[in-house]
Amino acid sequence: MLKYIIPLILFIIMAVFLAIGLNLKPSEIPSPLLNKPAPVFSAPKLQVPTEKLTPADLKGQVWLFNVWASWCVSCREEHPVLNQLAQRQAAVIVGLNTKDDPAAAKNWLESLGNPYDVSIMDQDGRIGIDWGVYGVPETFVIDKKGVVRYKHTGPVTLESIQQIFLPLIAQLQGEQ
């Protein structure tokens, strides 16, 4: 009798964990960076590789840090939304082109439009690792003091722009 009950109990436990896992939302993955200073980097700019960008260059500004790649299908889905957000000029948008060929990335921006005030290269993915990136696309909101205030995993949507990003950016722009 016991040899039938133990597998049944194990099956029930596994089914419960499966049900919990299926109800999780990947866009709500918490980040250990929230309310902490943005990780430091110095990366070459995509358009001018001889110039570098660091978070210190962005102090005093609210900025979005969008991790993208030309090979990313979800990035293509969110790209028109980022172009619309860029037109609002609500915040500086910095792109982190990760694990990508610079020529392919430049072609992507030329053909689909460039929402980024600046895009930097992370060909080996080290900057993404420091930021805790699970996959592309991911977008972070950083305040004027250089503190990470929000992380969005997955493609940015018009709904998330209206309901999350714009209200948060407006709040952060009003802070000293």
Side-chain angles (χ1 to χ4, degrees):
M1 183 73 151
L2 193 59
K3 69 180 181 178
Y4 296 112
I5 294 176
I6 291 176
L8 178 62
I9 291 172
L10 290 175
F11 174 77
I12 291 171
I13 291 170
M14 288 175 32
V16 167
F17 280 116
L18 177 63
I20 291 170
L22 290 174
N23 288 315
L24 293 177
K25 296 178 183 174
S27 63
E28 295 176 3
I29 296 172
S31 172
L33 296 178
L34 288 181
N35 300 314
K36 294 184 180 159
V40 178
F41 60 81
S42 178
K45 296 178 180 180
L46 179 63
Q47 302 295 351
V48 188
T50 57
E51 295 179 13
K52 295 195 178 235
L53 180 78
T54 69
D57 298 328
L58 301 161
K59 284 275 181 154
Q61 301 179 76
V62 175
W63 52 288
L64 274 65
F65 193 53
N66 177 255
V67 184
W68 68 282
S70 65
W71 47 261
C72 166
V73 175
S74 295
C75 297
R76 182 174 289 271
E77 177 185 326
E78 86 169 352
H79 202 79
V81 176
L82 289 176
N83 282 328
Q84 288 180 16
L85 178 60
Q87 289 175 351
R88 291 177 174 258
Q89 298 181 334
V92 173
I93 303 177
V94 177
L96 177 67
N97 180 248
T98 188
K99 300 179 184 177
D100 205 354
D101 174 54
K106 288 177 188 175
N107 288 338
W108 163 284
L109 294 176
E110 287 171 13
S111 65
L112 298 176
N114 187 352
Y116 305 109
D117 292 282
V118 63
S119 195
I120 57 176
M121 296 184 287
D122 182 26
Q123 289 181 287
D124 59 7
R126 291 180 192 265
I127 296 171
I129 290 170
D130 291 344
W131 281 73
V133 172
Y134 292 95
V136 290
E138 289 189 15
T139 305
F140 299 83
V141 178
I142 299 86
D143 70 15
K144 293 178 183 179
K145 295 176 185 172
V147 174
V148 177
R149 300 292 292 271
Y150 178 71
K151 176 185 177 183
H152 182 88
T153 302
V156 171
T157 63
L158 287 173
E159 182 180 316
S160 65
I161 292 294
Q162 293 296 327
Q163 294 180 2
I164 300 168
F165 285 92
L166 289 176
L168 178 58
I169 290 168
Q171 173 193 334
L172 297 176
Q173 292 290 18
E175 293 179 358
Q176 292 298 333

